[in-house]
Amino acid sequence: MLGVPIQLAAPSGAVSLETNLLLAPIAGWCDLAWRVTVREFGGVGLACTDLLSPQGLLCGSEASVDLARTTAEDRPIGMQLYGSDPRVLADGARWCADHGATVVDINMGCPVDKVCKKDGGSKLMCDPGRAVAIVSGVRAALPAQIPLTAKMRLGWDEPAALRNAAGELACMLAGEGVAMVTVHGRTTEQRFKGSCRHEGIRRVVELVGERFGAWRGVAGPVGEGPIPVVGNGDVRSAEDAVSMMRATGCAGVMIGRGAFGRPWVFREAWAAQRGKRVEALEPSEGEKLDIVLAYFERMREFRSDGYAMHKIRQKISWLGKSINGSHCRALRDGVRGAGTPPEVHAAVEAWRAGGVEHEPVGVRNEPVG
Ligand SMILES: Cc1cc2nc3c(=O)[nH]c(=O)nc-3n(C[C@H](O)[C@H](O)[C@H](O)COP(=O)(O)O)c2cc1C
């Protein structure tokens, strides 16, 4: 349903999101600084932490607790847990509820060996009984006002996708109290190869609609539906978001990599769904540089200078993709070569003062100024 915000049912009441657009969890990217940076542009209905280890949270591991860190401006926030033990996940979910989660999400889509070998992530799609036990245990452990959601793929492999494993699992989980399912339109075996399959997402939407009623923007009682099915995969622009929604009938769209270079894609996608022009919503070149610096400063504030330096050097390539049509090698080289925070600022300001770089990508420019 284009332009209709999502509601997530909880046993007591429902959480109403401002839009139907979600910022995807992307391990290594979607930290607090990035979430706040993306939210600033508007259009984000819900953002999610990277996948969190419940054991890590429960034993107070610094790495896990850092990943789960949130603030008042980072709302509404989904905290995503992975694992395979219903009791540990239930305890982890309670930890999340006590530490600011608006929503708790269970990861059933991660294809990484480290996670699947321990029967978590997308391996849960091969063991629906365990997935159901997890959802039932976590639902029972969570406070009544907190919705529980799940994220999955089309299935482990091609035969699973063909028999609509995701649709079947989504229905089982909805019956156990899941308030929303997000489906990445690839199988686990595909990982990130090939393109996202709209017809696979469509079949999930249809099956959930048949069993729990078609989604019309209003959540039904927990365990009875209707529930929203959110589509995910390869959405890079407002146009992509609208075409995914039209092709699949999904209730909303989750965007991950498409936000790396265009964190304002959510406000564009929200405007496009309501028939508004999106061209005017692209920030100016100067504002794009401000975004780089604001993000960098937030990483310093929320984590440390060392963390911010490491991450900004990694991410400037992605952030630069929308700057001067991606012709900004001097900016990228300047930031990557910076040794201290003031040098990062100096590199950005040098680029700002130097104006436009006309050389084609691949020709090295010295930092200007
Ligand atoms: C590097 C990387 C890390 C990811 N980490 C997570 C994660 O922690 N939890 C999760 O559910 N999905 C994770 N994903 C999957 C994304 O959330 C999303 O489903 C996928 O990237 C497809 O969406 P996109 O094309 O909009 O990026 C990750 C993807 C990538 C590329």
Side-chain angles (χ1 to χ4, degrees):
M1 292 193 69
L2 291 180
V4 177
I6 280 177
Q7 249 192 14
L8 301 172
S12 82
V15 171
S16 295
L17 308 183
E18 277 183 14
T19 71
N20 57 4
L21 299 167
L22 281 64
L23 175 62
I26 299 260
W29 255 95
C30 210
D31 60 5
L32 175 58
W34 181 242
R35 297 194 300 268
V36 171
T37 301
V38 175
R39 284 179 195 277
E40 210 172 48
F41 297 98
V44 177
L46 182 70
C48 193
T49 64
D50 293 343
L51 80 182
L52 305 168
S53 152
Q55 289 93 342
L57 298 174
L58 293 166
C59 75
S61 129
E62 200 181 323
S64 298
V65 173
D66 272 346
L67 282 176
R69 185 170 302 158
T70 179
T71 58
E73 55 193 328
D74 183 37
R75 295 289 187 277
I77 179 70
M79 293 195 185
Q80 188 190 62
L81 296 171
Y82 74 96
S84 59
D85 183 330
R87 276 210 281 198
V88 175
L89 281 159
D91 290 344
R94 251 190 308 260
W95 187 99
C96 293
D98 291 343
H99 290 82
T102 318
V103 172
V104 169
D105 185 76
I106 307 293
N107 182 309
M108 303 193 185
C110 178
V112 171
D113 277 354
K114 209 173 82 178
V115 173
C116 291
K117 275 193 180 141
K118 292 190 177 159
D119 298 328
S122 63
K123 199 67 192 296
L124 287 171
M125 297 202 74
C126 304
D127 189 353
R130 184 182 286 275
V132 164
I134 288 171
V135 162
S136 144
V138 171
R139 183 59 274 167
L142 274 177
Q145 75 281 8
I146 298 198
L148 173 63
T149 63
K151 180 164 178 281
M152 61 180 72
R153 287 178 172 242
L154 295 180
W156 184 269
D157 54 14
E158 204 51 35
L162 289 176
R163 63 168 193 272
N164 198 6
E168 291 293 347
L169 182 60
C171 289
M172 287 184 222
L173 302 183
E176 291 297 326
V178 149
M180 173 180 74
V181 169
T182 302
V183 184
H184 174 193
R186 289 184 175 86
T187 63
T188 307
E189 282 191 350
Q190 273 186 287
R191 291 185 166 245
F192 292 94
K193 291 198 206 93
S195 46
C196 169
R197 293 149 63 174
H198 287 174
E199 92 291 348
I201 299 174
R202 175 165 202 100
R203 291 173 69 213
V204 180
V205 172
E206 285 173 352
L207 193 62
V208 172
E210 271 168 36
R211 303 234 180 114
F212 290 87
W215 177 252
R216 304 239 181 276
V218 180
V222 165
E224 294 172 34
I227 66 157
V229 174
V230 168
N232 166 242
D234 300 353
V235 172
R236 301 275 182 274
S237 65
E239 210 185 346
D240 290 348
V242 170
S243 48
M244 174 181 271
M245 292 190 73
R246 290 219 164 103
T248 66
C250 63
V253 170
M254 175 183 270
I255 306 174
R257 292 166 297 173
F260 287 0
R262 313 188 76 248
W264 53 89
V265 67
F266 296 90
R267 75 178 178 196
E268 292 180 338
W270 184 237
Q273 286 185 58
R274 291 170 303 138
K276 302 202 169 146
R277 288 171 57 81
V278 300
E279 291 78 6
L281 299 176
E282 169 129 4
S284 68
E285 289 294 306
E287 286 165 339
K288 290 174 189 172
L289 297 176
D290 295 340
I291 295 166
V292 174
L293 291 178
Y295 173 45
F296 177 64
E297 284 307 312
R298 286 187 179 117
M299 290 193 286
R300 294 180 69 195
E301 180 191 341
F302 296 140
R303 298 290 285 270
S304 67
D305 281 6
Y307 176 88
M309 290 300 298
H310 174 67
K311 291 285 180 187
I312 201 71
R313 287 192 202 109
Q314 273 183 345
K315 292 177 177 177
I316 189 63
S317 285
W318 283 100
L319 296 167
K321 281 194 191 296
S322 62
I323 294 174
N324 191 32
S326 196
H327 295 261
C328 59
R329 184 146 188 171
L331 172 67
R332 286 194 281 255
D333 286 348
V335 170
R336 281 203 210 100
T340 61
E343 284 174 26
V344 170
H345 280 263
V348 171
E349 295 313 333
W351 171 263
R352 199 194 300 269
V356 174
E357 180 181 79
H358 291 289
E359 286 80 355
V361 180
V363 174
R364 190 188 164 89
N365 271 355
E366 293 310 316
V368 200

